């Protein structure tokens, strides 16, 4: 549901990306071979211990990939779906101010992180 929520928020009609929806971090081991075949991995995992652990595991097990953590998009919410449910609907008060989204690019162990600023 979180992935569909994100697509709803961003109004993506269609796209040409490889997508894997875990439904549970228990399925991570099955997804790792697929993830390792991708240059960029965009994560939208829950804000809980399991989500943080899965993020670290993906970074460690996919060292050739650029891992981008989008959890800052729904900071203050359990997941993307909770964020979407609290979005303002016509005629309703908005419960929370949505955070400004700046994704985190996570370096693989032993590799330098992304360059920020400068030339």
């Amino acid at each position: 549901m979180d992935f569909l929520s994100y697509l709803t928020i961003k109004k993506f009609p269609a796209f040409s990306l490889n997508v894997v929806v875990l439904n549970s971090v228990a399925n991570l081991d099955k997804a790792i071979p697929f993830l390792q075949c991708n240059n960029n991995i965009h994560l939208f995992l829950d804000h809980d211990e399991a989500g943080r652990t899965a993020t670290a595991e993906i970074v460690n097990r996919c060292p050739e990939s650029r891992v981008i953590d989008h959890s800052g998009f729904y900071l203050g919410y359990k997941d993307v779906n909770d964020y979407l449910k609290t979005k303002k609907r016509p005629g309703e008060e908005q419960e929370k101010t949505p955070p400004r989204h700046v994704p985190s690019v996570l370096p693989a162990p032993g590799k330098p992180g992304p360059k920020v600023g400068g030339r």
Side-chain angles (χ1 to χ4, degrees), residues 6 9-10 44 70-75 80 83 99-102:
Y6 184 75
I9 292 166
K10 292 298 184 180
F44 296 87
H70 290 276
S71 64
F73 176 75
Y74 44 97
L75 191 63
V80 178
Y83 168 78
R100 183 172 168 263
H101 174 52
V102 179

Side-chain angles (χ1 to χ4, degrees), residues 1 4 9 16 24 32 34-35 37 39 41 54 63 67 69-70 79 87 108-109:
M1 181 58 106
L4 294 176
I9 292 166
S16 59
S24 168
I32 289 293
F34 173 80
L35 293 173
C37 295
N39 293 327
I41 301 171
V67 179
D69 180 5
H70 290 276
D79 55 32
K87 292 277 294 172

